[in-house]
Amino acid sequence: KKIKEASGLVSSSINPDMFWSHNDSGADAELFLIDKEGKIHLKVVLLGAKSFDWEDIAIHGSDLFVADIGDNNAKRADITIYKIKEPKWDSLKIQLTLNSYEQMSLQYTEGARDAESLLFDPHSKELIIITKREKNCHVYSFPFKENSNPISITSRGTLPITQFTAGDIHPSTGEILLKNYKKIYYWGSSEKPAVVRIVAGPDYTLPYKEEPQGEAIAWTDKGFVTLSERKEKKQKFYFYARK
């Protein structure tokens, strides 16, 4: 009940068989560590952080990146990425308040736009944002760097696909997943920069059980998982195993 609109999802690197998730716009600046059944084991509060419209989460090693990048009406002057060290859960702890975290403020060179997908490229060590509402969605890449004044990022190219809601890059193989409400797009293993591969177009589309407002996807050690943010019904995990 505490996660009414699961907008982001990523596999934990230090808490086996668990995931980090968060709510969509209008919620508090909180992360939730959940298991495969959806049970919450730990709530992490980012004290003083804003949650205008958290849309996705990415991971690299011990670092979690939370994307406050939602902008349905394309009116925001800037967007924010938060970076925290991934907390380790123990059974004696159900809530953790973080006073220390990093944040990066960004502006799109081409003007404000809505986005819901954040990925981390383990080869280039860059974050990637995919926009949502254009007919040809823009792809941005940049290294994380804490700042107080927004920096400008410029589109690296576009994809002739729309309504992207989530994405993830496999930390070992470089495989890429991007999804919209209808399909999951897949790029195979590679050490080339992910942003170059993305704008070149996907290798395949994968089988997908369409969810009501499916807005989250994450790699696991055996495949990947999707999750819906629909709040009228209980959200279900859908696990997709490698063949």
Side-chain angles (χ1 to χ4, degrees), residues 148-167:
S148 55
N149 296 313
I151 68 164
S152 294
I153 53 174
T154 302
S155 175
R156 297 286 303 277
T158 60
L159 264 173
I161 306 168
T162 190
Q163 294 293 303
F164 284 114
T165 61

Side-chain angles (χ1 to χ4, degrees), residues 143-200:
F144 181 90
K145 186 176 182 180
E146 187 175 23
N147 62 26
S148 55
N149 296 313
I151 68 164
S152 294
I153 53 174
T154 302
S155 175
R156 297 286 303 277
T158 60
L159 264 173
I161 306 168
T162 190
Q163 294 293 303
F164 284 114
T165 61
D168 198 14
I169 300 179
H170 196 288
S172 300
T173 66
E175 293 168 284
I176 303 168
L177 296 171
L178 279 173
K179 77 176 297 296
N180 58 21
Y181 295 118
K182 301 290 185 181
K183 294 181 179 180
I184 293 175
Y185 301 90
Y186 170 83
W187 290 254
S189 301
S190 177
E191 293 187 1
K192 294 180 180 179
V195 65
V196 175
R197 298 166 58 209
I198 290 171
V199 298

Side-chain angles (χ1 to χ4, degrees):
K1 292 181 180 180
K2 293 180 181 178
I3 309 176
K4 295 182 178 180
E5 292 186 90
S7 186
L9 188 72
V10 74
S11 293
S12 170
S13 66
I14 58 174
N15 301 287
D17 297 321
M18 292 192 185
F19 303 89
W20 291 100
S21 187
H22 57 80
N23 281 302
D24 204 328
S25 59
D28 294 327
E30 299 170 341
L31 296 173
F32 299 92
L33 183 67
I34 56 180
D35 62 23
K36 290 182 177 181
E37 302 298 322
K39 181 181 177 181
I40 297 172
H41 290 268
L42 179 66
K43 181 172 78 170
V44 179
V45 179
L46 275 63
L47 191 66
K50 296 180 181 179
S51 178
F52 181 84
D53 193 352
W54 284 17
E55 286 291 356
D56 206 0
I57 185 170
I59 192 167
H60 174 63
S62 61
D63 293 324
L64 285 171
F65 301 90
V66 185
D68 190 350
I69 58 176
D71 190 8
N72 290 349
N73 298 315
K75 292 183 176 179
R76 295 180 65 174
D78 53 73
I79 56 174
T80 302
I81 308 292
Y82 293 100
K83 176 184 175 183
I84 70 168
K85 291 296 180 184
E86 182 182 4
K88 176 71 174 178
W89 173 75
D90 67 67
S91 58
L92 300 178
K93 187 186 301 180
I94 60 172
Q95 181 168 323
L96 175 66
T97 299
L98 295 181
N99 298 295
S100 177
Y101 49 84
E102 297 178 64
Q103 64 185 78
M104 181 180 188
S105 183
L106 304 148
Q107 294 174 331
Y108 300 112
T109 301
E110 297 81 11
R113 57 195 66 229
D114 190 27
E116 295 190 1
S117 304
L118 181 75
L119 306 84
F120 189 94
D121 182 354
H123 298 301
S124 69
K125 303 297 189 291
E126 290 185 318
L127 289 164
I128 295 173
I129 290 175
I130 316 289
T131 63
K132 180 180 181 181
R133 299 187 183 275
E134 297 87 355
K135 184 178 180 180
N136 297 296
C137 287
H138 287 266
V139 184
Y140 296 85
S141 66
F142 52 93
F144 181 90
K145 186 176 182 180
E146 187 175 23
N147 62 26
S148 55
N149 296 313
I151 68 164
S152 294
I153 53 174
T154 302
S155 175
R156 297 286 303 277
T158 60
L159 264 173
I161 306 168
T162 190
Q163 294 293 303
F164 284 114
T165 61
D168 198 14
I169 300 179
H170 196 288
S172 300
T173 66
E175 293 168 284
I176 303 168
L177 296 171
L178 279 173
K179 77 176 297 296
N180 58 21
Y181 295 118
K182 301 290 185 181
K183 294 181 179 180
I184 293 175
Y185 301 90
Y186 170 83
W187 290 254
S189 301
S190 177
E191 293 187 1
K192 294 180 180 179
V195 65
V196 175
R197 298 166 58 209
I198 290 171
V199 298
D203 297 334
Y204 308 103
T205 57
L206 301 182
Y208 174 50
K209 181 178 178 61
E210 190 175 328
E211 305 157 281
Q213 206 166 341
E215 297 205 3
I217 193 167
W219 283 107
T220 70
D221 56 351
K222 296 180 180 178
F224 65 89
V225 61
T226 67
L227 183 60
S228 168
E229 75 159 33
R230 184 72 172 266
K231 54 188 175 183
E232 288 84 359
K233 300 178 180 179
K234 290 184 178 179
Q235 304 99 317
K236 295 181 180 180
F237 279 114
Y238 288 101
F239 289 90
Y240 295 80
R242 291 187 186 274
K243 293 184 177 180

